Amino acid sequence: MPRHVACIPDGNGRWSQLRNGSRIAGHNQGAQVFHDLITSACELGIEWFTVYAFSAENWQRPEIEVRFIASTIERTIYRWLDDCSRYNIRIRWIGRAEMRIPRALRRAIDYATSTTKNNTGMTLTVAYNYGGRDEIVDAIRKIIEDGVDAADLNSELVSRYLYAPDMPDPDLVIRTSGENRISNFLLWQLAYSELVFTPALWPDFTVDHLLDAIHEYQRRVRRFGTVDDGNKKLDTQLQ
């Protein structure tokens, strides 16, 4: 079982448009799917779950859609707090804390993180106003501000300056809607993650899709730059 699953939930707008609705209508259905998925992830024993809720580039979308996404996330957070207590979920947020984040959403995020901070079950990390390149740039800025000597730089040190330094790298990353890219998501942390792309639009994503992705993950051999036993035997024979 992967310890940390990250998800890029894509396809809300297309799902709605295929049903002759407005783009924003799909986000309500997407929120319900998210609720069911997190509940199932808890029951499966997944320790960390990170969702790409709103990227730094998503501000370029129509203003009405941006506002609707923010209000949907805000409502979902408050609606989820009882379940967080029931399932012992800890909620966290990563991203840039800029003024453009709606004040009501920021209050909801702060309230949820403070209310659930002592929970010891699954950690649910919501990436809002997040960009992988921004995170690396912000880490570099902090390193410079702290006066770290260039000779002391290494990957472990940089990791300690990321938004959530205690968060383990994702084992499995799932992207819906048939798009085969990571879209500036957790660029540092995804170095050795297993990627699974599914054609299902996010509002159609079910627990069965999650299980399929986990089974695909379990079929793979994670080498982290080394070779598996089969290749080692082949190397010996070649020698």
Side-chain angles (χ1 to χ4, degrees), residues 18-168:
L18 286 172
R19 289 155 179 77
N20 297 318
S22 64
R23 282 183 52 82
I24 62 176
H27 295 298
N28 276 329
Q29 179 63 24
Q32 182 58 47
V33 168
F34 176 70
H35 176 278
D36 297 341
L37 187 65
I38 296 303
T39 301
S40 299
C42 285
E43 294 171 347
L44 288 169
I46 293 170
E47 298 177 34
W48 295 74
F49 199 103
T50 301
V51 61
Y52 203 7
F54 191 84
S55 76
E57 292 77 26
N58 284 157
W59 295 106
Q60 302 174 59
R61 294 187 177 190
E63 184 179 352
I64 188 173
E65 182 176 357
V66 170
R67 290 203 309 268
F68 188 84
I69 291 172
S71 63
T72 299
I73 295 173
E74 177 194 346
R75 292 195 305 272
T76 301
I77 287 173
Y78 286 122
R79 199 164 56 233
W80 247 88
L81 287 179
D82 287 341
D83 284 330
C84 286
S85 298
R86 186 178 307 117
Y87 287 94
N88 200 22
I89 296 172
R90 177 177 61 159
I91 295 180
R92 298 212 308 197
W93 164 71
I94 57 173
R96 280 186 168 172
E98 297 178 352
M99 294 299 295
R100 66 196 309 183
I101 297 178
R103 202 173 297 173
L105 175 59
R106 187 56 191 267
R107 282 198 300 267
I109 292 171
D110 290 343
Y111 181 71
T113 53
S114 63
T115 301
T116 65
K117 65 181 180 181
N118 293 323
N119 290 351
T120 57
M122 185 178 76
T123 297
L124 171 61
T125 305
V126 179
Y128 185 90
N129 194 30
Y130 174 87
R133 290 181 174 179
D134 289 343
E135 180 175 24
I136 294 171
V137 168
D138 290 346
I140 294 171
R141 284 176 177 162
K142 291 177 184 176
I143 290 171
I144 294 172
E145 289 171 0
D146 286 352
V148 176
D149 192 284
D152 296 328
L153 282 176
N154 55 48
S155 60
E156 292 182 0
L157 185 142
V158 173
S159 294
R160 293 200 297 268
Y161 279 85
L162 298 177
Y163 292 151
D166 62 328
M167 182 176 73

